[in-house]
Amino acid sequence: MDIRLAVMTGTDSPVPSCQLTIHQPSIKEIGMIGEKDFFVGAQCLCIEKTMYIQDEKVLSTTSNFQIFMTIMSEKQEVEKKNNVLAVLKLLFPDYKVMFTPRTLLFNHQDGNVMIDENNFENLQEVFQQIFCLSAAGQQAFNPANDAAKKIADKLMRARQRVAAQRQAEGGDGSVFAQYLSVLSVGLHFPLQQVAELTMYQLYDLMERYSL
């Protein structure tokens, strides 16, 4: 499904295969849970199995959802699980989201929706666009042989380390706050107006302004 215009205009994005509609939170709404926690939750929701598994046999029999649920079930990852739930609350404000042993359950007055390994990656495709975490960067590595695969794996793990480092450094400053300030002053928009932008809109405008 083509949702490029939807993410640019900030409208809610339906995911028919999951029977859900995703609300794109504004920067102001993201501020309610905190930027660092938001990024942790977003990265968990967009998890990619190739970053955790190198064995081809295991890779072919494992799904992104299985890796995601494994992390969510680990006792030492309670904070990540809470971050994921906080982000899901922003994305699905009309639903109560719960984890069951094998599914992600969305409870609504009109009925329940279950997300499992059969439809989780459909949801991830929309998440990646909304969070500006497109899989295009991962697809850019298309190894032609085993040697190239090893190099690609190293590059992907390096990217993961850089992302983790940026996340750790996030406590010293806010990327969103910096972008809001730049666009507000540079484009002569009231700060409160800029704060109503979605993450995708903010990044897009910042990129255009920088160019």
Side-chain angles (χ1 to χ4, degrees), residues 42-54 59 63-64 67 120-121 124-125 127-129 131-144 148-149 151-161 163:
Q43 288 171 355
C44 286
L45 287 168
C46 294
I47 199 166
E48 172 56 48
K49 62 183 180 180
T50 54
M51 289 185 173
Y52 294 84
I53 302 173
Q54 280 76 54
L59 197 61
S63 67
N64 287 351
I67 299 295
F120 181 67
E121 291 187 21
Q124 281 189 306
E125 290 177 8
F127 288 158
Q128 287 166 351
Q129 294 185 63
F131 300 147
C132 304
L133 295 172
S134 173
Q138 297 169 4
Q139 293 168 355
F141 298 124
N142 187 19
K149 176 70 166 60
I151 296 173
D153 287 342
K154 287 183 179 179
L155 290 172
M156 288 301 296
R157 288 195 292 272
R159 282 189 174 189
Q160 189 179 14
R161 287 195 297 271

Side-chain angles (χ1 to χ4, degrees), residues 14-58:
V15 188
S17 59
C18 300
Q19 299 180 328
L20 290 169
T21 298
I22 300 177
H23 166 69
Q24 296 188 66
S26 66
I27 302 302
K28 186 176 181 179
E29 290 174 320
I30 293 172
M32 292 189 297
I33 68 172
E35 183 175 321
K36 183 178 179 181
D37 290 349
F38 172 79
F39 278 123
V40 172
Q43 288 171 355
C44 286
L45 287 168
C46 294
I47 199 166
E48 172 56 48
K49 62 183 180 180
T50 54
M51 289 185 173
Y52 294 84
I53 302 173
Q54 280 76 54
D55 188 292
E56 288 293 341
K57 291 183 179 179
V58 177

